[in-house]
Amino acid sequence: MNKMMSIDIKHHLTDEILMGYSAGTLPEAFNLMVATHVSLCDACRAQLAACDAVGGVLLDEHDILNTQMQPDSFAATIAMIEQGVPTTKAPIAKKPSILPSPLQDYIGGDLSEIKWRPIGMGVKQAILPTSKQASARLLMIPAGAAMPDHGHHGLEMTMVLQGAFQDDDGYFGLGDVDIADSDLEHTPMADIHEDCICLAVSDAPLRFKGILPRIMQSFIRI
Amino acid sequence: MLKRKKKKFDPIQHFNRKFYMLARPQNVLPTERSVNFQTAATRLVAVGSERVKNVNKRNLWISHVHRIRDDADKAAFAELYAHFAPRVKGFLINSGADGSIAEECAQEVMVTLWRKAHLFDPSRASVATWIFTIARNRKIDILRKQRRPEPEDLTWGPEEEPDQTDVLALQQETEILSKALTILPAAQRELIEQAYFGDLSHSEIAKKTGLPLGTIKSRIRLALERLRQTMK
């Protein structure tokens, strides 16, 4: 995707999440969220660079990290270098898409490749394959419709890829991330103008307030 | 309904493209009472002469990477290796790797440095920062065995030679950041170090240290605020 005409992102990732990405301690689904958001957001890209710079300074100056290498290690490394460059995969040319490229990698293509499954009330989802500590999925909420009322056990982040939604925290447009923690209950409602597509990542299953959605939950892995 | 504080983003406040973090609008936070400024000041004076050396060192590392890129210079590589390979190994051991895996990964990280020397851009990162990101990526590949989604690259290509003033500015900022980390109150600095050099999430740090999660988060936030203040 070409760099978007500057989009006006108002809801950003937190320092904590960016630092976790930089340190390499987040679950895969959260890394996917960071990579996707940073692809669109210059502010968070710069913030992430600053977190990396903190890691660099610590690596450079932190004494406890100074261990011993094996005696033959330098020779072994030079030998590896002299074995030559391993064949690297040629980067696949990507078609222009409304989706940032890290997300295209997980979908295996553009919006049209998403295998949506209905989960009730007009809402559709597609689960993306990530490691188990957290889950990632795409959600499509029809224009003007609401997601089922739900609360959270863990941390959930929802980023808008198309359209917009509104919840108790405000209005979320393209690129905005809504961050909900354990005790928040909210009802996102898609903007009337367009179906809303979001990337949602969570480190715990959602719990719905109504009984029916709760039964459905176990079937559809929301 | 739960009210949560949201950070507002105000581009006017941003003084530098690369260090937004250190210039985000700030709410004035209460300073931590336990800060011992005298200790911090003493530490700062003590490291004063080290600082000049550090700046020279950073510039030397950049020219070393360029010598690898341009001349496949093994002497330059050996010096980078002597400084960084043991540290990368230490980083990986701290992240939970056993000694032999850490050794092997550290070697691979240094091989990557050699092979990708042409991609290093000193206007975007110091050599240490670049090596840190390579090591971090290797850690995720090997230890966590996860796929590793990366942000889409911006269109600025490696083929253009970076502007020298940008290179200088970035290296100066790195020096200020380094100083800011040195004078950070011990409790805050330790948590930042743990966040980077342990394989622990904040809630796992909470379990390990017995500190409440809220304390950890607020200390890390305070530490970042303090870094921002120093960078201004």
Side-chain angles (χ1 to χ4, degrees):
Chain A
M1 184 178 63
N2 294 324
K3 195 160 176 295
M4 294 235 159
M5 52 276 66
S6 66
I7 56 174
D8 184 20
I9 294 176
K10 293 194 176 63
H11 301 277
H12 296 269
L13 294 169
T14 61
D15 289 343
E16 190 192 351
I17 291 291
L18 287 166
M19 192 182 264
Y21 182 94
S22 178
T25 51
L26 297 182
E28 185 182 343
F30 285 14
N31 281 341
L32 177 60
M33 171 60 77
V34 173
T36 304
H37 179 79
V38 166
S39 295
L40 298 180
C41 178
D42 289 345
C44 288
R45 183 185 292 271
Q47 177 102 347
L48 181 58
C51 289
D52 288 346
V54 171
V57 168
L58 293 174
L59 180 73
D60 199 8
E61 297 176 12
H62 200 335
D63 286 331
I64 65 154
L65 293 179
N66 209 353
T67 51
Q68 296 277 318
M69 295 296 281
Q70 296 294 324
D72 60 347
S73 111
F74 185 70
T77 307
I78 291 291
M80 256 194 275
I81 287 168
E82 285 172 347
Q83 271 172 21
V85 183
T87 48
T88 45
K89 289 179 281 179
I92 304 150
K94 295 211 171 81
K95 290 180 204 140
S97 163
I98 77 153
L99 297 176
S101 69
L103 207 49
Q104 288 183 57
D105 292 341
Y106 275 76
I107 293 166
D110 203 357
L111 274 183
S112 56
E113 301 293 319
I114 301 172
K115 293 170 186 66
W116 293 110
R117 295 181 60 189
I119 58 169
M121 289 167 274
V123 179
K124 290 186 274 188
Q125 78 166 2
I127 292 170
L128 301 175
T130 61
S131 69
K132 285 202 179 101
Q133 305 105 304
S135 64
R137 63 199 199 282
L138 294 162
L139 286 170
M140 188 201 275
I141 311 169
M147 269 288 283
D149 206 8
H150 64 279
H152 304 265
H153 286 295
L155 176 67
E156 189 191 48
M157 294 185 276
T158 309
M159 175 179 156
V160 176
L161 301 163
Q162 176 192 294
F165 70 81
Q166 172 97 42
D167 73 7
D168 299 341
D169 290 322
Y171 186 82
F172 295 82
L174 178 61
D176 282 331
V177 184
D178 191 11
I179 300 172
D181 35 38
S182 28
D183 37 4
L184 185 88
E185 303 250 333
H186 69 170
T187 313
M189 175 93 70
D191 192 282
I192 195 76
H193 301 293
E194 197 177 3
D195 291 346
C196 179
I197 297 177
C198 297
L199 170 67
V201 300
S202 166
D203 59 4
L206 302 184
R207 58 196 142 90
F208 286 98
K209 277 163 93 183
I211 176 73
L212 187 62
R214 193 171 312 194
I215 293 167
M216 276 169 61
Q217 250 189 83
S218 50
F219 290 104
I220 57 183
R221 287 214 290 153
I222 190 166
Chain B
M1 180 186 111
L2 191 79
K3 289 251 184 254
R4 283 183 291 124
K5 205 169 62 190
K6 291 271 179 182
K7 278 192 184 134
K8 275 215 206 97
F9 180 72
D10 177 6
I12 299 160
Q13 298 239 7
H14 292 173
F15 74 117
N16 184 301
R17 183 163 49 88
K18 299 189 185 62
F19 280 81
Y20 270 127
M21 156 185 166
L22 306 156
R24 274 194 183 178
Q26 292 147 30
N27 304 322
V28 179
L29 289 162
T31 48
E32 213 175 45
R33 279 282 145 231
S34 63
V35 178
N36 185 339
F37 282 107
Q38 208 174 1
T39 316
T42 316
R43 208 158 55 214
L44 188 56
V45 172
V47 295
S49 60
E50 284 289 303
R51 293 287 144 203
V52 180
K53 269 201 278 178
N54 286 347
V55 173
N56 293 341
K57 203 80 197 236
R58 279 192 202 99
N59 291 330
L60 184 71
W61 295 146
I62 293 173
S63 71
H64 277 23
V65 174
H66 288 163
R67 277 162 60 192
I68 294 170
R69 177 193 66 188
D70 299 335
D71 307 317
D73 187 329
K74 282 184 188 150
F77 184 65
E79 281 183 38
L80 281 165
Y81 196 93
H83 181 70
F84 285 107
R87 292 173 172 277
V88 169
K89 183 178 175 182
F91 165 61
L92 293 163
I93 288 173
N94 270 272
S95 304
D98 71 33
S100 64
I101 290 180
E103 168 84 24
E104 200 180 308
C105 284
Q107 291 180 16
E108 285 163 359
V109 167
M110 297 311 287
V111 171
T112 304
L113 175 147
W114 177 285
R115 290 190 179 139
K116 295 198 168 169
H118 61 288
L119 295 175
F120 172 63
D121 179 350
S123 71
R124 289 169 70 180
S126 70
V127 173
T129 299
W130 185 51
I131 294 175
F132 169 73
T133 57
I134 297 172
R136 183 264 327 270
N137 291 350
R138 200 76 198 127
K139 170 179 108 171
I140 296 174
D141 294 342
I142 297 299
L143 295 186
R144 299 178 70 93
K145 296 188 170 60
Q146 286 178 183
R147 275 176 82 181
R148 186 164 42 73
E150 286 186 319
E152 203 163 301
D153 234 338
L154 296 181
T155 39
W156 45 25
E159 54 280 355
E160 303 166 40
E161 200 58 35
D163 190 331
Q164 275 311 304
T165 49
D166 287 345
V167 175
L168 197 67
L170 187 108
Q171 301 308 319
Q172 279 169 353
E173 280 160 0
T174 306
E175 183 50 35
I176 297 168
L177 177 64
S178 155
K179 195 159 76 184
L181 277 164
T182 310
I183 60 172
L184 214 55
Q188 292 172 21
R189 201 178 61 243
E190 276 162 26
L191 282 173
I192 295 257
E193 285 164 1
Q194 271 180 349
Y196 279 87
F197 301 130
D199 201 23
L200 299 176
S201 68
H202 293 168
S203 44
E204 288 161 340
I205 293 174
K207 261 185 235 147
K208 195 176 146 196
T209 58
L211 288 170
L213 186 57
T215 309
I216 288 173
K217 286 188 179 175
S218 70
R219 274 199 194 154
I220 287 179
R221 203 188 59 228
L222 271 173
L224 288 171
E225 289 299 335
R226 203 173 281 273
L227 292 180
R228 283 185 191 118
Q229 295 288 356
T230 319
M231 298 295 289
K232 268 171 105 176

